[in-house]
Amino acid sequence: MTEYGRGPGSEPWHPEDPQYGDQGWTGHEAQQGQMPYAGDPQQYQQEPQLPYPQQQYAQQPQYVQQPGQYQQGQQGQQSQYPQAQQYPDQYPQAQQYPQQQHPQQHQETYGGQGQVWDTGQVHYAGVPQAADPYAGADPYAQQQTSGYPGETPDLYGTPEAFPPPRPPGRRHLEPEEQWQEEAARTDEPADSFPAGGGGDDGDEGDDGGRGGRRSGRSGGKPKKRSGTACLIAAVVIVGVVGGGGYYGYDYLKAKFGAAEDFAGSGVDEAVDVEIPKGAGLGQMGRILKDAGVVASAQAFVDAAGNNPKGKSIQPGIYPLKKKMSAASVVEVMTDPSKLHVITIAEGMRNATVYAAIDRKLEKPEGTTKDIAFREAKNLGLPAWANNDPKIMDPLEGFLYPMRYDLTKDSTPESLLKQMVKNATDKYTELGVEGKAKELGLENPLQVITVASLVNAEGKNHDDFRKMSEVVYNRLKKTNDVTNRKLQFDSTYNYAKGQNEINFNLTEAKAFVHPYNTHNVTGLPPGPIGNPGLDALTATLNPDHGGWMFFVSVDGNKTTFTKTYEEHLKLVAEFQERQKQKNGG
């Protein structure tokens, strides 16, 4: 059971409808009660005209009235209606209105159960009820209203009104049944298709004077659907189905079909493609596809998966061609020499860096070196650099080791500036200027010089820390073993522009050069290479083990000693090994 006296089934309603809820539909015409017009409402007992025996409409009177008897034959049964006393003289006009609709609720027995139905119908006192003037009329039709002063207005008689309620048994008609019902009322063929949203034509004489309203619909005859609307609907349906089919086919093709790919090594149109750091194969494939290098990202992913080196592709700039097969692209990108970058290794000399820049930028040999010497003061060196006129290369030690990506706008000067900036920033971060005095050095440049020697002679971080201890111990004024000579082979090789392990020690000692520590005391005028981070940190934090000598007997492991006697034994072992290696 729902609220407001609604029946077993649900019925849509709207809170702004002044007469929402059920209106007393029972499947039969509701018997209308009477109300004295004298202003005293009275509730009464009434028996409806139903085929059920003695169903009672019981209500308790609110005021004491003079009872009157009224008998009416109805379906072979006698009904008693207690009725108020008539007042014809006081309200003479009441007899002109045999029936007037006013909302009133009364109780009735429906289907054996007591329910409340708001019929919306009352009577005025003094109206004889000898015969029902609406017998045989449509029980669900709205009654024609009259212009009696003070009457309740017809709330369903305007175009803006809500549709009148339907009987409980006919609230949820199927569309086809509803069209047939409307067609029967308007004498139209049952197969007419109702057009929605019709307006009220104001024909109050239609359908037995029901105000031109048919089953909650306003307007006249239903409009037929135009052919244009059907055509538009068909086009929309075809478009939706066709679009879905296209995307479905494209999805299946991408999911299960072979990825689109070009053939060959590409056309004669070069393009530089930059792969960012952290990019996966999928992102690489999309970048290559956007650049026109590969036909699809999936083709590149598949080719990289089939190549043993496919997962080792490094970020950087690659010189490629457009419309290359995915396999040929992977071959190029897995070859480090094809990568459009310059990688400066830890300890690399400037001469090697200059040659690499010329080669990568396709410049004549010596171009970058000339710019470095000519524009040294304009490349961003710190103020404490180049403090010795005997320095062989003003930028030595200031081309920071790392990888530098090349673009079409890269020039020797732009690369040198970037390298110097990186080195200067790193030295500032490590606090090189403040550490120089603590380490017993004269200036920050000597810190970089020591780091370059450590990087050139050592092989790993542990070696670097012991190697820096060797340097600091040999530089001490109390060193009477080497007399403050470092005697590093790397300095001799730098002065000679070579990288030889086996050279004549006598010749090395006789070779006079500011950088040859076999001949001169102390540090060379400047760095002999570009130290990496490990060598820098080891220089700033030496081992303090008291090491004075070192030698690599097998060329792999460096052995450190504190005394000269231990060192001589290792040197003899090293020389014997070298003779056996050379077949002597």
Side-chain angles (χ1 to χ4, degrees), residues 34-44 61-66 83-85 87 90-91 104 123-125:
Q34 296 180 352
M35 177 184 288
Y37 196 75
D40 296 327
Q42 176 182 1
Q43 295 183 350
Y44 52 85
Q62 298 176 353
Y63 304 96
V64 179
Q65 300 285 344
Q66 294 296 329
Q83 184 172 342
Q85 184 177 353
Y87 298 95
Q90 185 175 356
Y91 297 96
Q104 177 182 351
H123 291 287
Y124 295 99

Side-chain angles (χ1 to χ4, degrees), residues 163-335:
R166 299 176 60 82
R170 309 183 72 179
R171 291 172 181 163
H172 303 288
L173 293 178
E174 296 296 329
E176 183 177 356
E177 297 177 4
Q178 186 175 355
W179 301 339
Q180 291 176 354
E181 178 187 353
E182 293 188 4
R185 293 178 184 174
T186 57
D187 297 332
E188 293 181 358
D191 58 353
S192 298
F193 194 90
D200 191 354
D201 58 5
D203 233 353
E204 297 184 0
D206 292 348
D207 205 5
R210 292 185 291 113
R213 304 186 63 85
R214 299 187 298 275
S215 184
R217 289 183 176 272
S218 61
K221 297 181 179 181
K223 298 180 181 179
K224 294 185 177 181
R225 190 174 298 275
S226 66
T228 304
C230 295
L231 178 60
I232 293 175
V235 170
V236 171
I237 293 173
V238 171
V240 171
V241 174
Y246 170 77
Y247 286 109
Y249 170 77
D250 186 64
Y251 172 79
L252 293 175
K253 180 180 178 182
K255 190 71 175 178
F256 303 105
E260 186 178 0
D261 195 4
F262 293 127
S265 58
V267 298
D268 191 15
E269 184 177 356
V271 57
D272 289 339
V273 178
E274 181 175 1
I275 302 299
K277 294 181 179 180
L281 292 177
Q283 184 179 355
M284 293 181 188
R286 289 188 292 272
I287 294 174
L288 292 168
K289 182 180 183 303
D290 293 340
V293 176
V294 297
S296 65
Q298 188 60 45
F300 173 80
V301 173
D302 294 342
N306 295 329
N307 191 306
K309 300 180 181 179
K311 294 184 179 180
S312 63
I313 297 176
Q314 299 296 315
I317 298 177
Y318 293 87
L320 301 169
K321 295 181 180 180
K322 288 193 174 183
K323 296 185 178 182
M324 297 176 66
S325 68
S328 61
V329 173
V330 173
E331 288 293 333
V332 172
M333 296 180 71
T334 53
D335 184 356

